[in-house]
Amino acid sequence: MSRADRPPRDRPDAGFTVLEVLIALAIIAISIFSIGSVMSTNSRGVTTLENHVALVGAAQAVLTTAIPQHNELAPGVRAGELRNYRWQLDVSPIGGDWEPQDDSKVTWTPELVRIHVRSPTGAQLDLSTVRLMPRRPQ
């Protein structure tokens, strides 16, 4: 059979069939969907990380500006707002009603300092530390 006698679909230059085109389009669509899904996940992760970094920055600002010096720090609760971040500072004796046995030698007492920061988006960060405070006379 000569080249001119062959039917059009049996010729080597006949092109793609409809089924081959549909399969190729399906593969391309799945690939684009997968890439979009990965990009969406990465975008959410970056946004979450940015919010966390901003929250930690606000907590550091509260640590440096809201906590008074040793001689001004007193047990109790303070609250405020810094750049739309609400914070609460709670100073309380560590270990409850702990009292040293020899009162004359102890000039400092440990106090538990808890800082709670809440971002405008609702994310929260809690920090706890211990500060030595001058002991108040009994």
Side-chain angles (χ1 to χ4, degrees), residues 51-102:
N51 289 340
H52 183 71
V53 167
L55 183 61
V56 169
Q60 286 177 335
V62 167
L63 281 171
T64 57
T65 60
I67 297 179
Q69 298 297 321
H70 287 287
N71 56 352
E72 299 171 5
L73 192 63
V77 177
R78 292 182 183 200
E81 189 170 323
L82 178 69
R83 297 185 309 224
N84 292 331
Y85 287 83
R86 294 194 167 277
W87 58 269
Q88 181 175 342
L89 175 69
D90 181 19
V91 179
S92 60
I94 194 166
D97 295 330
W98 173 80
E99 286 294 325
Q101 292 182 0
D102 186 7

Short mmCIF file of all heavy atoms in Angstrom, two decimals, residues 51-102:
data_model
loop_
_atom_site.label_atom_id
_atom_site.label_comp_id
_atom_site.label_asym_id
_atom_site.label_seq_id
_atom_site.Cartn_x
_atom_site.Cartn_y
_atom_site.Cartn_z
N ASN A 51 2.73 36.72 61.75
CA ASN A 51 1.92 37.06 62.92
C ASN A 51 2.63 36.68 64.21
O ASN A 51 2.59 37.42 65.20
CB ASN A 51 0.54 36.39 62.85
CG ASN A 51 -0.34 36.99 61.80
OD1 ASN A 51 -0.12 38.12 61.36
ND2 ASN A 51 -1.33 36.24 61.37
N HIS A 52 3.28 35.52 64.22
CA HIS A 52 4.00 35.08 65.42
C HIS A 52 5.18 36.00 65.71
O HIS A 52 5.44 36.35 66.86
CB HIS A 52 4.46 33.63 65.26
CG HIS A 52 5.15 33.10 66.47
ND1 HIS A 52 4.48 32.80 67.63
CD2 HIS A 52 6.45 32.84 66.73
CE1 HIS A 52 5.33 32.37 68.54
NE2 HIS A 52 6.54 32.38 68.01
N VAL A 53 5.91 36.38 64.67
CA VAL A 53 7.05 37.29 64.85
C VAL A 53 6.58 38.63 65.40
O VAL A 53 7.20 39.22 66.29
CB VAL A 53 7.84 37.44 63.53
CG1 VAL A 53 8.82 38.60 63.60
CG2 VAL A 53 8.57 36.15 63.20
N ALA A 54 5.46 39.14 64.89
CA ALA A 54 4.92 40.41 65.39
C ALA A 54 4.48 40.27 66.85
O ALA A 54 4.69 41.18 67.66
CB ALA A 54 3.74 40.85 64.52
N LEU A 55 3.91 39.13 67.21
CA LEU A 55 3.48 38.89 68.59
C LEU A 55 4.68 38.84 69.53
O LEU A 55 4.67 39.42 70.62
CB LEU A 55 2.67 37.60 68.67
CG LEU A 55 2.08 37.23 70.02
CD1 LEU A 55 1.11 38.30 70.50
CD2 LEU A 55 1.37 35.89 69.92
N VAL A 56 5.74 38.15 69.12
CA VAL A 56 6.95 38.08 69.94
C VAL A 56 7.58 39.47 70.06
O VAL A 56 8.05 39.85 71.13
CB VAL A 56 7.94 37.05 69.36
CG1 VAL A 56 9.30 37.15 70.03
CG2 VAL A 56 7.39 35.64 69.51
N GLY A 57 7.57 40.25 68.98
CA GLY A 57 8.09 41.61 69.04
C GLY A 57 7.30 42.48 70.02
O GLY A 57 7.88 43.26 70.77
N ALA A 58 5.99 42.33 70.01
CA ALA A 58 5.16 43.08 70.95
C ALA A 58 5.45 42.63 72.38
O ALA A 58 5.50 43.46 73.30
CB ALA A 58 3.68 42.89 70.63
N ALA A 59 5.65 41.33 72.60
CA ALA A 59 5.96 40.83 73.93
C ALA A 59 7.31 41.38 74.41
O ALA A 59 7.46 41.76 75.58
CB ALA A 59 5.97 39.30 73.95
N GLN A 60 8.28 41.46 73.52
CA GLN A 60 9.57 42.04 73.89
C GLN A 60 9.43 43.52 74.23
O GLN A 60 10.06 44.01 75.17
CB GLN A 60 10.58 41.86 72.75
CG GLN A 60 11.08 40.45 72.62
CD GLN A 60 12.02 40.28 71.45
OE1 GLN A 60 11.98 41.04 70.49
NE2 GLN A 60 12.87 39.28 71.52
N ALA A 61 8.61 44.22 73.48
CA ALA A 61 8.38 45.63 73.78
C ALA A 61 7.71 45.80 75.14
O ALA A 61 8.05 46.70 75.90
CB ALA A 61 7.52 46.27 72.69
N VAL A 62 6.77 44.91 75.46
CA VAL A 62 6.13 44.96 76.77
C VAL A 62 7.16 44.67 77.87
O VAL A 62 7.18 45.33 78.90
CB VAL A 62 4.96 43.96 76.85
CG1 VAL A 62 4.48 43.77 78.27
CG2 VAL A 62 3.82 44.43 75.96
N LEU A 63 8.04 43.70 77.63
CA LEU A 63 9.07 43.38 78.62
C LEU A 63 9.97 44.57 78.90
O LEU A 63 10.37 44.81 80.04
CB LEU A 63 9.93 42.20 78.13
CG LEU A 63 9.34 40.82 78.30
CD1 LEU A 63 10.19 39.79 77.58
CD2 LEU A 63 9.24 40.46 79.76
N THR A 64 10.29 45.33 77.88
CA THR A 64 11.22 46.45 78.07
C THR A 64 10.54 47.71 78.56
O THR A 64 11.16 48.53 79.21
CB THR A 64 11.97 46.76 76.77
OG1 THR A 64 11.04 47.04 75.74
CG2 THR A 64 12.86 45.60 76.35
N THR A 65 9.26 47.87 78.25
CA THR A 65 8.60 49.13 78.62
C THR A 65 7.59 49.00 79.75
O THR A 65 7.40 49.95 80.50
CB THR A 65 7.87 49.74 77.40
OG1 THR A 65 6.88 48.83 76.94
CG2 THR A 65 8.84 50.06 76.29
N ALA A 66 6.95 47.87 79.90
CA ALA A 66 5.86 47.74 80.87
C ALA A 66 6.31 47.28 82.24
O ALA A 66 5.67 47.59 83.23
CB ALA A 66 4.80 46.78 80.34
N ILE A 67 7.40 46.52 82.30
CA ILE A 67 7.85 46.04 83.60
C ILE A 67 8.69 47.12 84.25
O ILE A 67 9.71 47.54 83.71
CB ILE A 67 8.67 44.74 83.45
CG1 ILE A 67 7.80 43.64 82.87
CG2 ILE A 67 9.23 44.32 84.79
CD1 ILE A 67 8.51 42.35 82.66
N PRO A 68 8.28 47.58 85.41
CA PRO A 68 9.06 48.62 86.08
C PRO A 68 10.37 48.08 86.64
O PRO A 68 10.60 46.87 86.68
CB PRO A 68 8.13 49.10 87.20
CG PRO A 68 7.05 48.10 87.30
CD PRO A 68 7.05 47.26 86.07
N GLN A 69 11.20 48.97 87.10
CA GLN A 69 12.48 48.60 87.71
C GLN A 69 12.22 47.82 89.00
O GLN A 69 11.12 47.82 89.54
CB GLN A 69 13.31 49.85 87.99
CG GLN A 69 13.67 50.63 86.75
CD GLN A 69 14.55 49.81 85.81
OE1 GLN A 69 15.42 49.08 86.24
NE2 GLN A 69 14.27 49.92 84.53
N HIS A 70 13.28 47.19 89.52
CA HIS A 70 13.15 46.35 90.72
C HIS A 70 12.51 47.10 91.88
O HIS A 70 11.65 46.57 92.58
CB HIS A 70 14.52 45.83 91.15
CG HIS A 70 15.05 44.76 90.27
ND1 HIS A 70 14.55 43.48 90.28
CD2 HIS A 70 16.05 44.76 89.36
CE1 HIS A 70 15.21 42.75 89.40
NE2 HIS A 70 16.13 43.50 88.82
N ASN A 71 12.93 48.36 92.11
CA ASN A 71 12.41 49.07 93.27
C ASN A 71 10.96 49.51 93.10
O ASN A 71 10.31 49.87 94.06
CB ASN A 71 13.30 50.28 93.59
CG ASN A 71 13.44 51.21 92.40
OD1 ASN A 71 13.02 50.88 91.30
ND2 ASN A 71 14.07 52.34 92.62
N GLU A 72 10.44 49.51 91.88
CA GLU A 72 9.05 49.91 91.63
C GLU A 72 8.12 48.72 91.41
O GLU A 72 6.91 48.89 91.40
CB GLU A 72 8.99 50.82 90.41
CG GLU A 72 9.78 52.10 90.54
CD GLU A 72 9.86 52.85 89.24
OE1 GLU A 72 9.22 52.42 88.25
OE2 GLU A 72 10.56 53.86 89.20
N LEU A 73 8.69 47.54 91.21
CA LEU A 73 7.89 46.36 90.93
C LEU A 73 7.20 45.89 92.21
O LEU A 73 7.83 45.73 93.24
CB LEU A 73 8.77 45.24 90.38
CG LEU A 73 8.09 44.04 89.76
CD1 LEU A 73 7.28 44.46 88.54
CD2 LEU A 73 9.12 43.00 89.36
N ALA A 74 5.91 45.72 92.14
CA ALA A 74 5.14 45.30 93.31
C ALA A 74 4.17 44.20 92.90
O ALA A 74 3.73 44.14 91.75
CB ALA A 74 4.37 46.49 93.88
N PRO A 75 3.83 43.30 93.84
CA PRO A 75 2.84 42.27 93.51
C PRO A 75 1.52 42.90 93.09
O PRO A 75 1.12 43.94 93.58
CB PRO A 75 2.69 41.50 94.83
CG PRO A 75 3.96 41.74 95.56
CD PRO A 75 4.37 43.14 95.18
N GLY A 76 0.88 42.25 92.15
CA GLY A 76 -0.39 42.73 91.65
C GLY A 76 -0.50 42.52 90.15
O GLY A 76 0.34 41.88 89.53
N VAL A 77 -1.55 43.07 89.58
CA VAL A 77 -1.82 42.91 88.14
C VAL A 77 -1.82 44.29 87.49
O VAL A 77 -2.42 45.22 88.01
CB VAL A 77 -3.17 42.20 87.92
CG1 VAL A 77 -3.48 42.09 86.44
CG2 VAL A 77 -3.17 40.83 88.57
N ARG A 78 -1.13 44.38 86.37
CA ARG A 78 -1.17 45.58 85.54
C ARG A 78 -1.61 45.15 84.16
O ARG A 78 -1.33 44.05 83.72
CB ARG A 78 0.21 46.22 85.41
CG ARG A 78 0.74 46.81 86.66
CD ARG A 78 2.07 47.45 86.37
NE ARG A 78 2.64 47.99 87.59
CZ ARG A 78 3.56 48.91 87.63
NH1 ARG A 78 4.04 49.39 86.51
NH2 ARG A 78 4.02 49.34 88.77
N ALA A 79 -2.26 46.04 83.46
CA ALA A 79 -2.71 45.74 82.10
C ALA A 79 -2.58 46.99 81.25
O ALA A 79 -2.54 48.11 81.76
CB ALA A 79 -4.14 45.24 82.09
N GLY A 80 -2.51 46.78 79.97
CA GLY A 80 -2.40 47.91 79.06
C GLY A 80 -2.50 47.46 77.62
O GLY A 80 -2.80 46.30 77.32
N GLU A 81 -2.23 48.39 76.74
CA GLU A 81 -2.28 48.12 75.31
C GLU A 81 -1.08 48.79 74.66
O GLU A 81 -0.75 49.94 74.97
CB GLU A 81 -3.58 48.65 74.71
CG GLU A 81 -3.80 48.21 73.29
CD GLU A 81 -5.19 48.55 72.80
OE1 GLU A 81 -6.15 48.44 73.59
OE2 GLU A 81 -5.30 48.90 71.62
N LEU A 82 -0.43 48.08 73.77
CA LEU A 82 0.73 48.59 73.05
C LEU A 82 0.59 48.21 71.58
O LEU A 82 0.58 47.02 71.25
CB LEU A 82 2.01 47.99 73.65
CG LEU A 82 3.32 48.38 73.00
CD1 LEU A 82 3.62 49.86 73.28
CD2 LEU A 82 4.45 47.53 73.54
N ARG A 83 0.41 49.18 70.72
CA ARG A 83 0.25 48.96 69.27
C ARG A 83 -0.84 47.93 68.97
O ARG A 83 -0.63 46.98 68.21
CB ARG A 83 1.58 48.51 68.65
CG ARG A 83 2.68 49.52 68.73
CD ARG A 83 3.91 49.04 68.00
NE ARG A 83 4.29 47.70 68.41
CZ ARG A 83 5.53 47.32 68.66
NH1 ARG A 83 6.50 48.17 68.54
NH2 ARG A 83 5.79 46.09 69.02
N ASN A 84 -1.99 48.10 69.58
CA ASN A 84 -3.15 47.22 69.42
C ASN A 84 -2.95 45.82 70.00
O ASN A 84 -3.74 44.92 69.73
CB ASN A 84 -3.58 47.12 67.95
CG ASN A 84 -4.14 48.42 67.43
OD1 ASN A 84 -4.70 49.20 68.20
ND2 ASN A 84 -3.98 48.67 66.15
N TYR A 85 -1.88 45.61 70.73
CA TYR A 85 -1.65 44.34 71.41
C TYR A 85 -1.99 44.54 72.89
O TYR A 85 -1.41 45.40 73.55
CB TYR A 85 -0.18 43.90 71.28
CG TYR A 85 0.17 43.40 69.90
CD1 TYR A 85 0.50 44.28 68.88
CD2 TYR A 85 0.16 42.04 69.62
CE1 TYR A 85 0.82 43.82 67.62
CE2 TYR A 85 0.48 41.57 68.36
CZ TYR A 85 0.81 42.47 67.36
OH TYR A 85 1.12 42.00 66.12
N ARG A 86 -2.93 43.78 73.40
CA ARG A 86 -3.29 43.88 74.81
C ARG A 86 -2.32 43.02 75.62
O ARG A 86 -1.98 41.91 75.21
CB ARG A 86 -4.71 43.39 75.03
CG ARG A 86 -5.74 44.27 74.37
CD ARG A 86 -7.12 43.94 74.93
NE ARG A 86 -8.07 44.94 74.56
CZ ARG A 86 -8.26 46.08 75.18
NH1 ARG A 86 -7.53 46.37 76.23
NH2 ARG A 86 -9.16 46.94 74.78
N TRP A 87 -1.90 43.55 76.75
CA TRP A 87 -0.99 42.81 77.61
C TRP A 87 -1.45 42.89 79.05
O TRP A 87 -2.17 43.78 79.44
CB TRP A 87 0.44 43.32 77.49
CG TRP A 87 0.62 44.78 77.82
CD1 TRP A 87 0.56 45.82 76.95
CD2 TRP A 87 0.87 45.35 79.10
NE1 TRP A 87 0.75 47.00 77.61
CE2 TRP A 87 0.95 46.75 78.94
CE3 TRP A 87 1.02 44.83 80.39
CZ2 TRP A 87 1.20 47.61 80.00
CZ3 TRP A 87 1.27 45.69 81.44
CH2 TRP A 87 1.36 47.07 81.24
N GLN A 88 -1.04 41.88 79.80
CA GLN A 88 -1.34 41.82 81.23
C GLN A 88 -0.09 41.33 81.95
O GLN A 88 0.52 40.34 81.54
CB GLN A 88 -2.51 40.88 81.51
CG GLN A 88 -2.87 40.81 82.97
CD GLN A 88 -4.10 39.96 83.21
OE1 GLN A 88 -4.87 39.69 82.29
NE2 GLN A 88 -4.28 39.52 84.43
N LEU A 89 0.27 42.01 82.99
CA LEU A 89 1.44 41.69 83.79
C LEU A 89 0.96 41.29 85.17
O LEU A 89 0.24 42.05 85.83
CB LEU A 89 2.36 42.92 83.88
CG LEU A 89 3.57 42.82 84.78
CD1 LEU A 89 4.57 41.83 84.19
CD2 LEU A 89 4.21 44.18 84.93
N ASP A 90 1.32 40.09 85.60
CA ASP A 90 0.90 39.58 86.91
C ASP A 90 2.16 39.27 87.72
O ASP A 90 2.97 38.43 87.31
CB ASP A 90 0.05 38.33 86.72
CG ASP A 90 -0.45 37.76 88.03
OD1 ASP A 90 -0.46 38.50 89.04
OD2 ASP A 90 -0.83 36.58 88.05
N VAL A 91 2.33 39.95 88.83
CA VAL A 91 3.47 39.73 89.72
C VAL A 91 2.93 39.12 91.00
O VAL A 91 2.04 39.69 91.64
CB VAL A 91 4.21 41.05 90.01
CG1 VAL A 91 5.38 40.80 90.95
CG2 VAL A 91 4.67 41.69 88.72
N SER A 92 3.45 37.95 91.37
CA SER A 92 2.98 37.28 92.58
C SER A 92 4.16 36.56 93.24
O SER A 92 5.15 36.25 92.58
CB SER A 92 1.88 36.28 92.23
OG SER A 92 2.37 35.31 91.34
N PRO A 93 4.06 36.32 94.53
CA PRO A 93 5.13 35.60 95.22
C PRO A 93 5.30 34.21 94.63
O PRO A 93 4.32 33.54 94.29
CB PRO A 93 4.65 35.53 96.67
CG PRO A 93 3.59 36.56 96.80
CD PRO A 93 2.99 36.72 95.44
N ILE A 94 6.52 33.80 94.51
CA ILE A 94 6.78 32.46 93.98
C ILE A 94 6.67 31.47 95.13
O ILE A 94 7.10 31.75 96.23
CB ILE A 94 8.15 32.39 93.29
CG1 ILE A 94 8.26 31.13 92.47
CG2 ILE A 94 9.27 32.48 94.28
CD1 ILE A 94 9.42 31.13 91.52
N GLY A 95 6.04 30.37 94.89
CA GLY A 95 5.91 29.35 95.91
C GLY A 95 4.88 29.67 96.98
O GLY A 95 4.97 29.16 98.09
N GLY A 96 3.96 30.54 96.67
CA GLY A 96 2.90 30.83 97.63
C GLY A 96 3.37 31.69 98.77
O GLY A 96 3.95 32.75 98.57
N ASP A 97 3.16 31.24 99.99
CA ASP A 97 3.50 32.01 101.19
C ASP A 97 4.88 31.64 101.72
O ASP A 97 5.09 31.51 102.92
CB ASP A 97 2.44 31.78 102.28
CG ASP A 97 1.09 32.30 101.86
OD1 ASP A 97 1.06 33.27 101.09
OD2 ASP A 97 0.08 31.74 102.31
N TRP A 98 5.83 31.49 100.86
CA TRP A 98 7.18 31.11 101.27
C TRP A 98 7.81 32.24 102.08
O TRP A 98 7.77 33.40 101.70
CB TRP A 98 8.03 30.82 100.03
CG TRP A 98 9.46 30.58 100.33
CD1 TRP A 98 10.00 29.42 100.78
CD2 TRP A 98 10.53 31.51 100.23
NE1 TRP A 98 11.34 29.56 100.96
CE2 TRP A 98 11.69 30.84 100.62
CE3 TRP A 98 10.62 32.84 99.85
CZ2 TRP A 98 12.95 31.45 100.64
CZ3 TRP A 98 11.86 33.44 99.86
CH2 TRP A 98 13.01 32.75 100.26
N GLU A 99 8.37 31.89 103.19
CA GLU A 99 9.07 32.85 104.03
C GLU A 99 10.40 32.24 104.43
O GLU A 99 10.47 31.07 104.83
CB GLU A 99 8.25 33.17 105.30
CG GLU A 99 7.05 34.04 105.05
CD GLU A 99 7.44 35.45 104.61
OE1 GLU A 99 8.46 35.98 105.08
OE2 GLU A 99 6.71 36.01 103.78
N PRO A 100 11.47 33.00 104.37
CA PRO A 100 12.77 32.47 104.80
C PRO A 100 12.79 32.26 106.31
O PRO A 100 12.10 32.95 107.06
CB PRO A 100 13.77 33.55 104.37
CG PRO A 100 12.96 34.78 104.25
CD PRO A 100 11.56 34.36 103.89
N GLN A 101 13.61 31.30 106.75
CA GLN A 101 13.65 30.99 108.18
C GLN A 101 14.42 32.04 108.97
O GLN A 101 14.08 32.37 110.08
CB GLN A 101 14.25 29.60 108.40
CG GLN A 101 13.33 28.53 107.87
CD GLN A 101 13.88 27.14 108.12
OE1 GLN A 101 14.93 26.96 108.69
NE2 GLN A 101 13.13 26.14 107.69
N ASP A 102 15.49 32.58 108.36
CA ASP A 102 16.28 33.60 109.05
C ASP A 102 16.02 34.94 108.37
O ASP A 102 16.63 35.26 107.36
CB ASP A 102 17.76 33.23 109.00
CG ASP A 102 18.60 34.19 109.83
OD1 ASP A 102 18.03 35.03 110.54
OD2 ASP A 102 19.84 34.07 109.77
#
